[in-house]
Amino acid sequence: MKSATKDKTPAAFPPNPGSEALAAEILEVLKYRVGKDTTVATPYDWLTASIKAVRDRIIDHWISATKEAYEQQEKRVYYLSLEFLIGRLMRDAFSNFGLMNTVREALASLGVDFDVIAALEPDAALGNGGLGRLAACFMESMATVDIPAHGYGIRYANGMFRQEIQDGWQVELPETWLDHGNSWEFERRERAFEVGFGGSVESVTDKEGRLERHIWKPGERVLAVAYDTPVVGWRANRVNTLRLWSGMPVDPILLDKFNAGDHIGALAESNKADALSRVLYPADSHMAGQELRLRQEYFFSSASLQDILQRHLSQYGELESLPDKAAIHLNDTHPAIAVPELMRLLMDVHGMDFDRAWSITGRTFGYTNHTLLPEALESWPVPLFERLLPRHMQLVYAINAQVLLEARATGRFNDEQIARISLIQENGDRRVRMGNLAFVGSHSINGVSALHTDLMKKTVFADLHSLYPGRINNKTNGITPRRWLFQCNAGLTALAREAIGDRFLDDIEAIRDLDGFAGDAAFREKFAAVKRANKVRLAELVARRLGIRIDPSALFDIQIKRIHEYKRQLLNILEAVALYDQIRSHPERDWAPRVKLFGGKAAPSYHNAKLIIKLANDVARVINGDPAVRGLLKVVFVPNYNVSGAEVMMPGADLSEQISTAGMEASGTGNMKFALNGALTIGTLDGANVEIRERVGDDNIFIFGLKANEVAERRSGGYQPRAVIEGSPELSQALSAISSGVFSPGDPDRYRDLVSGLYDSDWFMVAADFDAYAAAQRTVDDVWRDPHDWNARAIRNVARVGWFSSDRTIREYAKDIWNVPA
Ligand code: 26W
């Protein structure tokens, strides 16, 4: 149960019923709620019964936390995110509740293997990558540090696509995660809100002809229906709610059309509503630009705000106190339409004037920016915006007028700067800039690493930062240690408990006590044994999925993340090709056996990213099949990388590849997961790598390459990649091998454009960083040859990265942005 005060967390789990009682509860659920007998129960039935039995126990905590927030009139946090990349929930909930072993024993007594049914739970993949996974870690941390919080998003019927590799190419298949139902969620039919689109705006005047208010008359309406999932914090300290909206028609069937014989037309509304929560847009870091995407953004923002206002009104009876009782957070610009939507609700529905509404809005919203890539910054064509959301368009103009007036009044901005501050982009087609909208509507704008925040101030938001100094602040990302250490790496967790006791379970920064063990030979042995067991588990996954045998005593070098040119999987592949060439030319040298593993999805429309996947697979086929390499180098592309895959790959890594072009990766969070699980990082000074280096120390990380300012200088100073390539024999060799069809014998031209892109422009500085990267890899080999040294460095990584916990991040948000106790 929730502790009485925020600063005293009781380090105990809720009372444990014991495995016998739990087995009886599971049987009861199986019989009365699944409707099955043990003799006919399928593994899925056991999964359902186990989840529901534990969920029943969670509900008491859930209700009491909700009640208490109400009675104590606590300020609530609302986290609006178009993505929640949750993964499986069962281990998370069971382990945070302290019931993991009890469930395992209970099921064993019923003849059921927990691991078998756990593997059947589908991943809730309602997100693309970093941003969505961060939202999931934040939800868990908010429950853990006892903040009353609701996550709001969309219940996509089809989340992130399933990736298959066919003949080396990525093929996308729909992921139907709801096929067997979702035992975690509660459908709340009574919690449904109407959301409108299109139509027109009427102005209402009073008797004297003065404008009283605007009334939006939407041309279309849909219902947003709530589905709630409990989010259990560590030790069930608190249980919060993730509320996901699903689209439903207001009228499921248009009877007049149906009766007139138009059976398809009769279902049109139903199909339109359905489309809103049908599928997650699978493009990260590229703005989709489709009307349906803007509809999704408005759909969930509007439903969430209506829900929030209704809750606030029913509790407080007025809206003036909204900023004191609600902090609404915008996870990137995807919910930025919430800014004019709140204005509309306050003004048109609740009768406030512009100034009051604007003051409330600004004090209620906070906004996090997750990327500086220009192609990822959302903006919508004015004509589309106006047609879909005519009232919001008016409000955007009104807000813009106010902001530009303020800017002009300072006398500090010239026309060019004013144009950059404007919410409307005027050059080319006119567009609404969602980043600027989120910025002006929020009292806090944060970046996700120190470097990223600094660059935000100097680049995209330079002028807005100058107009509103003090609003931009940094909140370096974090990860939840429950999922990313305790659950995914039971071996390392047990070893740490044995060495330093249990304090780190409740305060992950206490894992620093392991630091002293880096010099302890006996501990290093045990640490190495844990790593080896995790590598064996990963090797088994690779064997099972791909039929490729990899040797757990080789160095496991892993790059897993979305495929993007700025993340530079290509740099890694080129280094593999160069190394392959070296091994063949100098078989007598003492090569350190290495397995390079890749995983990640490409946006379906991102041609070069898909080509990079094909190249990784082509290179893998040739290298793995060449007896001259004698297994010294293997390359593996693991298909369908997802949260569950990460939970096996992170603990099994020796080397973590974090090699983005400096200045382009906002933070990265995989880098933190790897380090916490005892991998050393090879990386550039980008995103959170900078801060990881500060904490683990220069000797325990392999840093190479251009820094962010050097990248900027090279780009503006006539960078000539061709000359760089010609000056690097290794890189030239690797590129000519690829161009001449060594890896694509049937189709030598396959990589022509990819390679010529490097010679002619190389925006991502692959050539500029290649030699430094290859040299850093040879330093890695040298350290690897001394296992004592390697393990000591790995242990120091584990010990020193506790700060990158999302508990710490969330406490900073709570204090600096949301003004809630934590
Ligand atoms: C509009 C299309 C679109 C969709 C998603 C544009 C941009 C995005 C995201 C911003 C992409 C994303 O996931 N960004 C990542 O956010 C992580 C969490 O802060 C960071 O760790 C990563 O560095 C950043 O790339």
Side-chain angles (χ1 to χ4, degrees):
M1 203 72 42
K2 204 178 99 52
S3 58
T5 56
K6 303 260 163 172
D7 44 8
K8 237 181 86 227
T9 312
F13 291 113
N16 190 316
S19 62
E20 246 175 72
L22 199 62
E25 287 170 25
I26 292 172
L27 282 178
E28 176 110 350
V29 173
L30 185 70
K31 189 167 166 191
Y32 293 105
R33 288 161 65 196
V34 183
K36 290 275 184 91
D37 180 67
T38 53
T39 51
V40 293
T42 66
Y44 271 106
D45 296 329
W46 285 111
L47 175 69
T48 306
S50 310
I51 291 174
K52 290 204 165 153
V54 175
R55 198 188 66 171
D56 286 349
R57 303 189 143 264
I58 292 171
I59 289 174
D60 292 330
H61 294 253
W62 195 14
I63 290 176
S64 67
T66 309
K67 245 195 190 143
E68 198 176 289
Y70 182 84
E71 282 161 4
Q72 308 289 318
Q73 306 202 334
E74 291 170 306
K75 183 171 183 181
R76 296 184 182 88
V77 171
Y78 296 107
Y79 199 79
L80 270 55
S81 179
L82 212 39
E83 304 191 10
F84 289 93
L85 220 188
I86 301 166
R88 291 182 177 137
L89 268 179
M90 191 156 78
R91 273 176 214 275
D92 212 42
F94 290 9
S95 136
N96 279 3
F97 224 81
L99 285 178
M100 199 59 198
N101 290 330
T102 317
V103 176
R104 193 180 279 282
E105 284 165 25
L107 285 170
S109 77
L110 300 168
V112 177
D113 184 337
F114 174 81
D115 292 320
V116 170
I117 67 161
L120 294 179
E121 186 185 5
D123 268 43
L126 311 183
N128 271 285
L131 163 140
R133 183 53 234 175
L134 186 76
C137 284
F138 278 8
M139 286 305 297
E140 198 265 3
S141 277
M142 288 190 285
T144 294
V145 308
D146 202 9
I147 294 173
H150 295 245
Y152 279 113
I154 293 180
R155 180 180 177 271
Y156 301 106
N158 297 109
M160 192 59 199
F161 64 81
R162 187 159 55 83
Q163 178 194 57
E164 272 187 17
I165 301 298
Q166 290 176 11
D167 186 28
W169 296 99
Q170 166 174 296
V171 175
E172 303 94 27
L173 298 153
E175 186 66 275
T176 49
W177 69 296
L178 293 169
D179 274 355
H180 293 264
N182 175 2
S183 299
W184 288 109
E185 70 187 6
F186 291 85
E187 183 179 334
R188 310 274 192 217
R189 289 271 173 159
E190 77 289 358
R191 213 64 190 170
F193 295 94
E194 269 191 29
V195 177
F197 295 100
S200 56
V201 181
E202 280 176 20
S203 355
V204 180
T205 47
D206 63 13
K207 290 185 215 90
E208 278 84 58
R210 278 184 308 232
L211 183 69
E212 206 161 58
R213 66 166 76 183
H214 293 275
I215 300 176
W216 176 29
K217 297 264 166 74
E220 291 170 49
R221 290 168 307 141
V222 295
L223 278 183
V225 176
Y227 286 75
D228 288 351
T229 299
V231 179
V232 183
W234 177 237
R235 294 192 195 277
N237 220 7
R238 163 172 216 101
V239 180
N240 279 330
T241 305
L242 174 60
R243 174 160 284 182
L244 301 178
W245 301 105
S246 188
M248 296 258 280
V250 177
D251 297 316
I253 182 154
L254 302 176
L255 268 182
D256 44 347
K257 285 202 176 174
F258 189 85
N259 293 338
D262 182 5
H263 300 137
I264 304 279
L267 293 172
E269 285 227 348
S270 174
N271 295 338
K272 269 201 153 162
D274 201 56
L276 287 168
S277 47
R278 168 60 54 195
V279 64
L280 165 78
Y281 273 93
D284 82 325
S285 49
H286 213 288
M287 134 119 206
Q290 268 100 325
E291 176 174 335
L292 180 59
R293 169 73 174 202
L294 180 56
R295 283 178 179 258
Q296 287 185 329
E297 296 184 351
Y298 179 63
F299 166 74
F300 103 101
S301 300
S302 174
S304 307
L305 282 184
Q306 292 183 62
D307 196 28
I308 292 165
L309 291 194
Q310 186 176 102
R311 187 177 297 111
H312 187 88
L313 274 173
S314 78
Q315 183 165 9
Y316 300 103
E318 43 76 37
L319 289 169
E320 292 289 333
S321 63
L322 187 71
D324 305 323
K325 296 298 177 186
I328 307 179
H329 206 85
L330 306 174
N331 196 23
D332 216 281
T333 55
H334 315 156
I337 191 66
V339 169
E341 173 67 357
L342 182 57
M343 290 295 288
R344 182 186 74 84
L345 292 168
L346 294 177
M347 293 172 65
D348 299 358
V349 180
H350 298 284
M352 266 183 213
D353 66 23
F354 181 92
D355 292 344
R356 277 307 320 133
W358 188 233
S359 156
I360 290 174
T361 298
R363 286 178 292 132
T364 304
F365 283 115
Y367 153 55
T368 300
N369 171 280
H370 294 268
T371 182
L372 301 174
L373 299 183
E375 66 271 25
L377 297 179
E378 284 187 296
S379 68
W380 294 101
V382 166
L384 168 64
F385 201 104
E386 196 154 35
R387 174 165 58 77
L388 216 54
L389 301 166
R391 178 60 181 140
H392 300 78
M393 192 67 245
Q394 293 180 340
L395 287 163
V396 166
Y397 286 134
I399 294 166
N400 202 32
Q402 166 90 17
V403 169
L404 295 184
L405 207 67
E406 270 179 59
R408 287 228 165 75
T410 64
R412 292 191 288 115
F413 299 99
N414 61 31
D415 288 351
E416 226 172 275
Q417 293 167 313
I418 293 281
R420 285 198 294 260
I421 288 171
S422 175
L423 304 188
I424 310 292
Q425 186 189 87
E426 304 277 2
N427 52 344
D429 55 341
R430 301 180 73 230
R431 303 176 79 93
V432 182
R433 292 174 172 144
M434 303 306 269
N436 291 29
L437 178 60
F439 192 116
V440 301
S442 302
H443 63 278
S444 163
I445 295 91
N446 74 282
V448 291
S449 73
L451 174 64
H452 166 64
T453 301
D454 186 50
L455 292 172
M456 265 169 73
K457 292 183 187 169
K458 292 180 178 150
T459 61
V460 263
F461 293 134
D463 303 294
L464 279 164
H465 174 54
S466 158
L467 177 60
Y468 301 118
R471 279 198 201 179
I472 296 185
N473 62 96
N474 178 243
K475 295 288 167 280
T476 300
N477 282 167
I479 57 169
T480 167
R482 271 72 62 184
R483 183 177 292 258
W484 297 113
L485 180 60
F486 308 166
Q487 288 159 42
C488 73
N489 201 338
L492 183 53
T493 306
L495 178 63
R497 290 177 74 176
E498 184 188 305
I500 62 174
D502 285 357
R503 201 160 66 91
F504 75 97
L505 296 178
D506 294 288
D507 171 13
I508 190 64
E509 294 193 42
I511 202 158
R512 175 165 281 278
D513 294 348
L514 277 183
D515 213 52
F517 288 86
D520 177 334
F523 183 85
R524 280 200 307 261
E525 290 299 315
K526 291 186 199 166
F527 179 86
V530 166
K531 179 59 81 181
R532 177 155 183 111
N534 289 330
K535 290 170 73 175
V536 168
R537 178 171 64 152
L538 173 52
E540 285 167 358
L541 178 138
V542 168
R544 206 169 48 239
R545 298 257 297 266
L546 295 161
I548 300 175
R549 286 167 50 93
I550 55 175
D551 178 0
S553 50
L555 187 162
F556 281 13
D557 164 345
I558 308 189
Q559 186 170 21
I560 39 180
K561 47 181 82 243
R562 287 300 290 258
I563 312 295
H564 200 295
E565 287 160 285
Y566 85 77
K567 293 176 189 283
R568 297 200 294 191
Q569 281 91 357
L570 186 54
L571 177 60
N572 192 349
I573 297 167
L574 288 172
E575 203 272 328
V577 171
L579 182 58
Y580 171 51
D581 190 49
Q582 294 275 309
I583 293 172
R584 283 177 53 113
S585 330
H586 307 282
E588 74 292 349
R589 283 192 196 158
D590 176 26
W591 297 104
R594 193 187 275 244
V595 183
K596 274 186 181 281
L597 294 123
F598 293 86
K601 293 174 182 172
S605 60
Y606 190 168
H607 179 259
N608 274 358
K610 292 180 124 175
L611 204 52
I612 288 168
I613 292 178
K614 176 62 174 164
L615 178 61
N617 281 292
D618 276 345
V619 167
R621 189 193 63 250
V622 171
I623 295 181
N624 299 349
D626 186 344
V629 180
R630 293 168 293 133
L632 291 170
L633 176 62
K634 282 208 169 153
V635 177
V636 179
F637 188 94
V638 181
N640 199 38
Y641 174 61
N642 58 8
V643 174
S644 293
E647 288 166 9
V648 180
M649 295 183 81
M650 298 290 176
D654 296 305
L655 188 67
S656 154
E657 297 272 353
Q658 309 299 335
I659 57 176
S660 51
T661 313
M664 300 194 79
E665 187 72 273
S667 160
T669 45
N671 45 6
M672 301 166 189
K673 294 164 197 169
F674 276 112
L676 186 60
N677 282 280
L680 304 195
T681 302
I682 183 166
T684 47
L685 283 178
D686 197 14
N689 296 352
V690 176
E691 292 155 85
I692 291 176
R693 179 180 74 154
E694 282 167 10
R695 291 190 154 77
V696 303
D698 240 333
D699 292 343
N700 302 301
I701 189 167
F702 304 96
I703 296 291
F704 71 93
L706 297 174
K707 298 173 186 51
N709 60 315
E710 294 167 343
V711 168
E713 282 161 24
R714 291 287 281 269
R715 278 183 183 156
S716 60
Y719 169 52
Q720 294 201 325
R722 184 171 298 271
V724 175
I725 296 168
E726 280 160 5
S728 166
E730 275 197 53
L731 179 56
S732 302
Q733 274 284 0
L735 288 175
S736 58
I738 292 170
S739 319
S740 65
V742 169
F743 304 99
S744 52
D747 181 7
D749 282 348
R750 184 175 295 151
Y751 301 110
R752 197 190 46 213
D753 293 350
L754 206 59
V755 171
S756 65
L758 291 185
Y759 276 94
D760 298 337
S761 75
D762 189 21
W763 178 251
F764 301 97
M765 300 279 152
V766 169
D769 274 343
F770 182 85
D771 281 355
Y773 178 57
Q777 290 286 23
R778 300 297 69 83
T779 310
V780 169
D781 287 341
D782 292 341
V783 178
W784 178 252
R785 285 191 194 90
D786 179 354
H788 297 309
D789 188 13
W790 184 277
N791 287 323
R793 296 184 199 215
I795 292 164
R796 285 187 206 111
N797 267 267
V798 177
R800 298 177 185 184
V801 295
W803 185 81
F804 296 94
S805 161
S806 43
D807 296 350
R808 184 270 314 156
T809 311
I810 282 298
R811 287 197 180 94
E812 291 181 5
Y813 275 81
K815 180 169 166 288
D816 303 339
I817 302 176
W818 301 331
N819 191 26
V820 295

